[in-house]
Amino acid sequence: MVKKKTCIFISGSGTNLKNLILRSRDNTFPINISLIITDNREAYGIKYAKKYKIPFLFINTKQRNFENDILFNLKKYEISFICLAGYMKIISNSLIQKYKNKIINIHPSLLPKFKGLNTYSRMLRNKEVKAGCTVHYVDKKLDNGNSILKKMFFINEKDNEKTLKQRTQKLEYQAYPEAIIKIFKNN
């Protein structure tokens, strides 16, 4: 199996990144993480990049031509697939066009419900019965692309924002690798 050279975009703790790195070490997993891009110099996920000796790059998104830096490095590392894992910036239309149907994201809700931020507090305010995560393709609209895979659980009366996040992340660690396998099994 020829693994797809993949870039993971992160902004924070990198727990999904770590999970994908560990999964990618398996010869049967379809991606090889060849580059990590972050918009946050302090992102904890950088520690995983260093630990597993994966090239990483800080991109200052306040800089005018930051998009050119991203595209240059994606080309330099021969990236053919992109996973967003807690990346807190909107992906530009030009990047989406260049990597059409090759950028995926994981979102901590059962899309199309609760797109965007503050997902858990909005779920609780709304008295939702179910929570979960969605792996989806990235398109021009926020958290809007076609769904690849969803996983869900029932919210109970003891849940709060912290427990919802913990329970959702547990599902994300299963869902993201499953979605990647599903994508490349169908290609």
Side-chain angles (χ1 to χ4, degrees):
M1 172 201 293
V2 177
K3 292 182 169 231
K4 298 288 181 189
K5 289 188 176 187
T6 300
C7 179
I8 312 288
F9 283 51
I10 65 167
S11 291
S13 65
T15 58
N16 272 302
L17 167 65
K18 180 184 177 191
N19 182 51
L20 291 176
I21 290 170
L22 294 175
R23 289 300 302 267
S24 72
R25 299 299 196 228
D26 180 337
N27 290 337
T28 63
F29 197 67
I31 67 169
N32 178 40
I33 300 169
S34 305
L35 179 65
I36 296 165
I37 289 179
T38 183
D39 64 323
N40 175 5
R41 233 183 260 283
E42 305 298 314
Y44 190 84
I46 292 170
K47 288 181 180 9
Y48 299 124
K50 290 176 180 175
K51 178 178 180 179
Y52 295 101
K53 297 176 177 49
I54 300 169
F56 68 93
L57 185 65
F58 165 72
I59 296 287
N60 183 352
T61 55
K62 291 175 176 60
Q63 206 174 330
R64 243 176 67 148
N65 293 323
F66 78 89
E67 178 90 7
N68 292 339
D69 284 347
I70 291 174
L71 289 168
F72 173 82
N73 281 285
L74 293 175
K75 187 175 182 178
K76 176 182 169 184
Y77 286 92
E78 301 173 341
I79 300 299
S80 61
F81 191 67
I82 297 170
C83 297
L84 307 182
Y87 187 64
M88 302 307 285
K89 295 289 178 199
I90 303 290
I91 299 295
S92 74
N93 288 341
S94 62
L95 186 57
I96 291 168
Q97 285 303 100
K98 184 119 176 103
Y99 285 86
K100 192 166 177 60
N101 295 322
K102 304 239 183 297
I103 306 174
I104 64 172
N105 184 37
I106 189 155
H107 185 74
S109 78
L110 299 169
L111 292 175
K113 285 187 165 192
F114 307 107
K115 296 177 181 183
L117 301 174
N118 306 314
T119 309
Y120 307 116
S121 61
R122 291 188 292 147
M123 278 182 204
L124 292 169
R125 259 197 324 273
N126 237 36
K127 298 186 181 352
E128 288 297 308
V129 176
K130 294 185 236 174
C133 61
T134 306
V135 181
H136 65 94
Y137 287 101
V138 174
D139 68 11
K140 293 177 186 177
K141 293 183 182 171
L142 181 68
D143 296 327
N144 186 69
N146 290 336
S147 176
I148 301 159
L149 191 136
K150 292 182 184 188
K151 288 203 174 279
M152 63 80 64
F153 61 89
F154 288 98
I155 298 172
N156 63 52
E157 66 281 346
K158 293 178 184 166
D159 275 318
N160 56 42
E161 285 183 48
K162 185 179 178 183
T163 61
L164 281 181
K165 181 178 181 179
Q166 290 168 337
R167 294 177 73 195
T168 301
Q169 282 181 325
K170 216 176 203 178
L171 281 185
E172 287 178 351
Y173 305 149
Q174 297 167 21
Y176 221 165
E178 282 179 31
I180 291 167
I181 289 166
K182 182 179 177 183
I183 289 167
F184 291 107
K185 190 181 265 184
N186 295 335
N187 280 349

